[in-house]
Amino acid sequence: MPKPKVYVTRIIPEPGLEILRKYVDIELHKSKEWPPTREELIEKVKDKDGLLCLLTDKIDAEVMDVAHNLKVISTYSVGFDHIDIDAATKRGIYVTHTPGVLTDAVAEFTVGLLLAITRKIVDANEVVKGGKWDKPWNPFFLTGPELKGKTLGIVGLGRIGRAVAKKVKGFEMKVIYYDVYRNEKAEKELGVEYVDLETLLKTSDFVSLHVPLLKETYHMIGEKELKLMKPTAYLINTARGGVVDTNALVKALKEGWIAGAALDVFEQEPLPPDHPLTKLDNVILAPHIASATIEARQRMAELAANNLVAVLKGEMPPALVNKDVLKVRPLEKVKMI
Ligand code: GLV
């Protein structure tokens, strides 16, 4: 039997490619940095049984409709807001993602942003390297709030939200959370307290977002929510840019409704260099790198490859997004290996 044909839209870490090579014929978009153009993507998927894509590839009904043989879309990301899940399910296409393997990387980075924004670490670096350390030590220079005893509000107590709660325990912070699902087991285990979103926004010194981008979470932090936050509070976003209304956030930061923000994700990526956010002193900006540990990126490659291969073997993949697809096209109908 010929091997299944798979299009991989970017060079991913070798352990993932190694798994794929054993089972499938790979057509690789040979770039580490640039995604295929829309035209290339549409051309390449036409005869493919599988697609391994990144969060920069928009996979909608138009792409799926030209890919008559497509059985699986495996994204090298935990987020899947770039894929039209309903369209895939209707067409019997399995969608998989990479949860779990990047949880600690993202949680560690979130804690990093918490420290960086409060202790002005980025400004401090700029002072020294930029030759602006021109006065002796003084008690007021680059001071910021202490974490101990402060309240961290976690929005979304999924894998990453829980990992953040666990990691900040050492800072002796009070941790509260809001989620559409209350998790009493996690409350006991992590010593976190469930509150509604309004209470969380009103009482937190730091609000950290850990929800996926869905229709329900789009712009869930807008003008009204930012106005509920304390003027001394900080917003941290390592989830998805679309969870926050950027225009409202710029206004909030300019007008002092909140003290500052640390952002790793944006509604538009890359963020244009002249974007208003880049002009503000009370923000720290990172280029969507929260999962960027070497270990996490390798595990993501392995999991994305294993997901894809499992579906083509007619086996349950480790991380299936659209469980309803099992009713539309059972696994034995997609088995090729
Ligand atoms: C990164 O943002 C991911 O979704 O994996």
Side-chain angles (χ1 to χ4, degrees), residues 55 76-79 98 102 240 288 291 300:
L55 58 86
Y76 178 87
S77 59
V78 65
T98 62
L102 44 67
R240 279 292 183 270
H288 200 151
S291 72
M300 288 165 72

Side-chain angles (χ1 to χ4, degrees), residues 218-237:
Y218 176 73
H219 282 193
M220 87 183 272
I221 305 296
E223 197 162 316
K224 177 173 147 260
E225 290 74 22
L226 290 160
K227 280 192 169 148
L228 289 174
M229 286 174 67
K230 296 188 205 178
T232 50
Y234 294 85
L235 180 72
I236 298 169
N237 190 5

Side-chain angles (χ1 to χ4, degrees), residues 122-259:
V122 179
D123 293 340
N125 179 65
E126 177 50 29
V127 165
V128 181
K129 283 196 179 164
K132 292 179 241 167
W133 192 15
D134 51 6
K135 292 183 199 79
W137 191 93
N138 91 60
F140 307 99
F141 188 41
L142 290 177
T143 54
E146 206 156 275
L147 298 184
K148 183 172 174 173
K150 299 279 164 46
T151 299
L152 170 66
I154 293 178
V155 179
L157 199 73
R159 276 174 296 263
I160 297 173
R162 291 198 299 276
V164 171
K166 203 165 163 183
K167 290 184 196 305
V168 300
K169 266 192 140 178
F171 292 128
E172 299 174 63
M173 301 179 81
K174 173 176 178 179
V175 182
I176 58 177
Y177 80 99
Y178 165 74
D179 196 298
V180 279
Y181 304 105
R182 185 164 173 188
N183 184 343
E184 292 181 31
K185 186 167 165 259
E187 286 170 32
K188 280 198 205 89
E189 277 171 14
L190 299 168
V192 300
E193 185 190 318
Y194 178 79
V195 292
D196 59 39
L197 183 60
E198 189 172 326
T199 308
L200 182 140
L201 293 166
K202 279 183 176 165
T203 56
S204 295
D205 299 298
F206 307 95
V207 173
S208 191
L209 306 176
H210 301 287
V211 290
L213 178 58
L214 307 164
K215 276 195 281 308
E216 298 77 14
T217 58
Y218 176 73
H219 282 193
M220 87 183 272
I221 305 296
E223 197 162 316
K224 177 173 147 260
E225 290 74 22
L226 290 160
K227 280 192 169 148
L228 289 174
M229 286 174 67
K230 296 188 205 178
T232 50
Y234 294 85
L235 180 72
I236 298 169
N237 190 5
T238 53
R240 279 292 183 270
V243 175
V244 178
D245 176 348
T246 310
N247 293 334
L249 178 61
V250 169
K251 218 165 143 192
L253 290 162
K254 274 189 184 163
E255 296 179 7
W257 310 350
I258 63 173

